Amino acid sequence: MKFNMTFVFAIVTAATAIIGIFMSWWQIRNSNKQSLFEKRLQIFLFADSLASLIRETPAVLNEKDDIEMANDFDLWLLTNNAELSGITPLIKDAKDAAKHQAFLKELESFKGREQTAKFVFKGPTAYIVSNFICSYRELLFSTYQYQILIDNMTDAAKEHSLSKEEAAQVLHENTYRAALNKRIKVLQQNLHVYGSDYAQSRLRGQINLASI
């Protein structure tokens, strides 16, 4: 009887340990799935907010065939939501050092999301989301650079009594505009891919799968 009780105790102890291991594994698994779901959802909501901004004002992606004096308005349109509101004050003075630093920090947060997208999504979906966010960031930076150029053109025109066209020629405006148009074209392409039925279906499917 003593032998049997010892044997039963050993079995119960082993079973308890196995159940404990299984429960720990189950909790860790659920925690990881919840974390993955939250990260995927956050990246998706951010990317979708960018896409919505463009869809609401598609003219912001029109390529520039002349000096774009309304560039500050384009920059405002590209940052006109809660996520990017920290960039908006930059429009009033693109050359202000403090605002410049705030702008660079915002762009760093974009880079963080680009990298996160590559890790939390699977397959082509990861690069579709990451590339879209990246191209938006690059257009923001190019638009910012062009705004500094416009401000410098305005100052030069006043200081040296130049016309808009003369100031543009002196400061090589066409080079900056070409770079801006290149970024616009890339974002157009990535928005088309991101907004496709294929990409949206895969995105939502992976988010739903992570929540199960």
Side-chain angles (χ1 to χ4, degrees):
M1 185 68 175
K2 183 179 179 181
F3 171 79
N4 289 340
M5 288 301 297
T6 302
F7 179 73
V8 170
F9 180 75
I11 294 296
V12 170
T13 301
T16 301
I18 292 172
I19 292 172
I21 293 171
F22 176 78
M23 291 300 296
S24 296
W25 170 83
W26 184 259
Q27 290 172 350
I28 291 171
R29 177 179 179 273
N30 285 342
S31 176
N32 288 342
K33 287 177 72 67
Q34 180 64 25
S35 176
L36 180 61
F37 167 73
E38 290 173 356
K39 288 177 181 177
R40 284 180 176 175
L41 183 61
Q42 287 172 2
I43 295 297
F44 171 74
L45 292 176
F46 178 73
D48 221 48
S49 71
L50 302 181
S52 294
L53 271 179
I54 300 173
R55 292 183 185 120
E56 290 168 4
T57 53
V60 74
L61 292 188
N62 289 343
E63 293 189 43
K64 323 301 179 187
D65 54 9
D66 198 359
I67 301 170
E68 184 54 77
M69 298 303 293
N71 181 73
D72 56 346
F73 185 61
D74 286 345
L75 187 57
W76 180 81
L77 291 175
L78 288 168
T79 60
N80 188 30
N81 70 9
E83 285 280 357
L84 304 179
S85 59
I87 296 177
T88 306
L90 176 74
I91 299 168
K92 296 180 181 179
D93 188 359
K95 294 186 288 185
D96 180 87
K99 293 175 183 175
H100 174 73
Q101 288 300 316
F103 178 68
L104 293 181
K105 287 181 180 179
E106 195 68 46
L107 293 189
E108 284 300 316
S109 72
F110 266 77
K111 289 183 180 180
R113 290 180 173 105
E114 293 163 30
Q115 294 302 315
T116 300
K118 291 179 182 178
F119 287 111
V120 300
F121 288 103
K122 298 187 295 183
T125 306
Y127 292 93
I128 289 173
V129 180
S130 181
N131 289 343
F132 172 63
I133 296 174
C134 175
S135 60
Y136 202 101
R137 171 179 58 80
E138 290 178 341
L139 178 58
L140 276 177
F141 186 63
S142 191
T143 306
Y144 163 73
Q145 289 181 312
Y146 193 83
Q147 187 57 43
I148 291 178
L149 170 74
I150 293 296
D151 291 347
N152 287 338
M153 281 173 50
T154 302
D155 293 342
K158 291 178 180 178
E159 184 176 350
H160 302 289
S161 300
L162 301 174
S163 67
K164 178 181 70 175
E165 290 74 17
E166 289 171 335
Q169 187 173 6
V170 169
L171 295 174
H172 307 287
E173 179 274 340
N174 60 332
T175 301
Y176 287 88
R177 178 155 39 94
L180 180 60
N181 282 333
K182 181 180 178 181
R183 298 305 182 193
I184 288 172
K185 188 173 182 179
V186 172
L187 181 53
Q188 287 173 336
Q189 294 168 344
N190 283 320
L191 175 63
H192 177 73
V193 175
Y194 173 81
S196 67
D197 291 340
Y198 167 81
Q200 290 299 307
S201 175
R202 294 292 295 269
L203 272 169
R204 286 174 168 79
Q206 290 190 28
I207 292 170
N208 289 335
L209 184 63
S211 67
I212 297 174

